[in-house]
Amino acid sequence: MPLLDLRNVTRRFGDFTAVDGVSLGIEAGEFFTLLGPSGCGKTTLLRMIAGFDLPDSGQILLDGVDLADRPPEDRPVRTVFQSYALFPHMSVEGNVAFPLQMAGTPARDIPARVAEALEDVRLQGFGKRRPHELSGGQQQRVAIARALVTHPTVLLLDEPLAALDAKLREEMQIELINLQKQAGITFVYVTHDQTEALALSHRIAVMNRGKVEQMDEPSKVYRFPQSRFVADFIGQCNLFSGIVAQSADGTVTLAVDGLGSVHVATRSTVAAGSRASIALRPEQIRIGSTANGAGDNRFRGTVTDLLYMGDVTVYRVATEGGAQVEALLANSQTGRAKFFEPGDAVEMDWPAAAGHFIED
């Protein structure tokens, strides 16, 4: 049985269904992420786990115990908010000690517990400072120390890195991974940032309109999206939609407007005439000024736009039939910022196994 077990959980606000029959199991010691756009229900789900909101139907079980009748303060769960919610009039030590005091921890035991928590987040020597004397990253660590000091079974994190700049966010991601490993506590993390979710998580639940569209390991969610929404939401992706023209020997041929016949390897059995899509990541496409190889899919086009991203460049290519294809190329040659310019003629190819077949 999973440590945290959500069974058909639903939450409505009037006529609006924020969470719609969500069931998922989160294992002990797992870094589990709820990922999705604003309004998809991920924060509402987190609030119900914390006890700040209650489901209209369904069950939330922690270690087999239904949490329905337990208020937030009686749940072995702690939450780190995006705003950190530190007490400005208290020192760092005071902030971290507060939940211990509320839990009735003997006063003689509190200093050692606080010191241990601050050491866990590498804030030794900062105990006497006030929150306004700390950087954003240090405030974040104080909030985490305050949440961990009572040794909760589950730590909930609601977009905790959203307010940080890009470089500090990356540093804090590494710190969170190491801290989770060290503490061995189950983390349930909410974010709308796909890159963050892929970097941090053992598993990801991608949410859309109150439902879980896909739940799996990051690499499988990225490589094998189960719906058009997941393919489009996670990273950059070409989505080719069309009619199944042929299905045989583990390969489906799709008639795609602007491209023609596109071949994709799949175990799915589909009838000719069905609508379907192919998800193809830009890095799976080989692009060059001449033919690159004997790919199952080969097309010509003209570069219309490019996005230089330092180590790679994403090229947008218009095919002869009018389709738009994005291809990614590493900028590996010394001193070379990009290989093609808008207006350059290029050829693209990719094997049938590079794409992922999605039944519409």
Side-chain angles (χ1 to χ4, degrees), residues 179-208:
L179 182 61
Q180 196 271 337
K181 288 179 181 178
Q182 179 180 335
I185 292 173
T186 301
F187 278 23
V188 181
Y189 193 93
V190 161
T191 184
H192 65 276
D193 188 316
Q194 308 96 317
T195 303
E196 191 169 275
L198 293 171
L200 292 173
S201 316
H202 294 137
R203 284 192 301 154
I204 299 171
V206 184
M207 294 190 66
N208 181 36

Side-chain angles (χ1 to χ4, degrees), residues 160-175:
L161 308 184
L164 305 180
D165 62 64
K167 184 172 179 59
L168 183 55
R169 188 183 304 122
E170 184 176 325
E171 293 174 359
M172 285 303 300
Q173 287 173 4
I174 295 171
E175 289 199 19

Side-chain angles (χ1 to χ4, degrees), residues 64-307:
V65 177
D66 195 336
L67 297 178
D69 297 326
R70 299 181 68 175
E73 62 272 17
D74 289 341
R75 300 185 182 197
V77 172
R78 292 295 176 266
T79 306
V80 177
F81 301 97
Q82 180 179 335
S83 63
Y84 312 147
L86 300 178
F87 298 116
H89 64 285
M90 289 185 181
S91 66
V92 167
E93 288 177 340
N95 269 278
V96 177
F98 182 77
L100 294 173
Q101 294 164 349
M102 292 298 98
T105 303
R108 64 180 179 275
D109 297 337
I110 290 178
R113 296 275 294 273
V114 169
E116 179 185 2
L118 291 178
E119 183 178 356
D120 286 342
V121 297
R122 297 191 291 115
L123 282 179
Q124 306 98 308
F126 287 80
K128 305 302 180 185
R129 297 192 188 185
R130 297 290 177 89
H132 73 271
E133 298 176 296
L134 304 176
S135 68
Q138 290 167 340
Q139 290 180 33
Q140 174 67 74
R141 281 185 272 167
V142 174
I144 293 173
R146 184 177 62 183
L148 291 177
V149 74
T150 56
H151 303 298
T153 304
V154 178
L155 182 63
L156 310 176
L157 301 103
D158 187 8
E159 306 245 23
L161 308 184
L164 305 180
D165 62 64
K167 184 172 179 59
L168 183 55
R169 188 183 304 122
E170 184 176 325
E171 293 174 359
M172 285 303 300
Q173 287 173 4
I174 295 171
E175 289 199 19
L176 279 174
I177 292 171
N178 293 332
L179 182 61
Q180 196 271 337
K181 288 179 181 178
Q182 179 180 335
I185 292 173
T186 301
F187 278 23
V188 181
Y189 193 93
V190 161
T191 184
H192 65 276
D193 188 316
Q194 308 96 317
T195 303
E196 191 169 275
L198 293 171
L200 292 173
S201 316
H202 294 137
R203 284 192 301 154
I204 299 171
V206 184
M207 294 190 66
N208 181 36
R209 297 181 179 180
K211 293 180 177 289
V212 173
E213 294 237 350
Q214 184 171 350
M215 182 168 62
D216 214 326
E217 299 170 11
S219 60
K220 292 181 179 177
V221 171
Y222 182 82
R223 184 67 182 85
F224 307 111
Q226 292 178 359
S227 69
R228 286 179 57 87
F229 173 81
V230 174
D232 193 41
F233 187 74
I234 303 290
Q236 293 172 294
C237 191
N238 295 288
L239 276 170
F240 304 135
S241 297
I243 305 296
V244 174
Q246 184 179 351
S247 177
D249 300 325
T251 300
V252 167
T253 301
L254 215 61
V256 178
D257 288 344
L259 281 176
S261 295
V262 181
H263 311 289
V264 59
T266 179
R267 295 179 181 177
S268 299
T269 302
V270 291
S274 303
R275 289 204 63 84
S277 299
I278 297 171
L280 179 67
R281 300 292 179 184
E283 64 269 21
Q284 297 290 336
I285 300 174
R286 292 175 295 208
I287 179 173
S289 54
T290 58
N292 289 280
D296 302 296
N297 301 283
R298 301 179 66 179
F299 302 97
R300 295 177 179 176
T302 302
V303 174
T304 57
D305 296 290
L306 59 88
L307 181 62

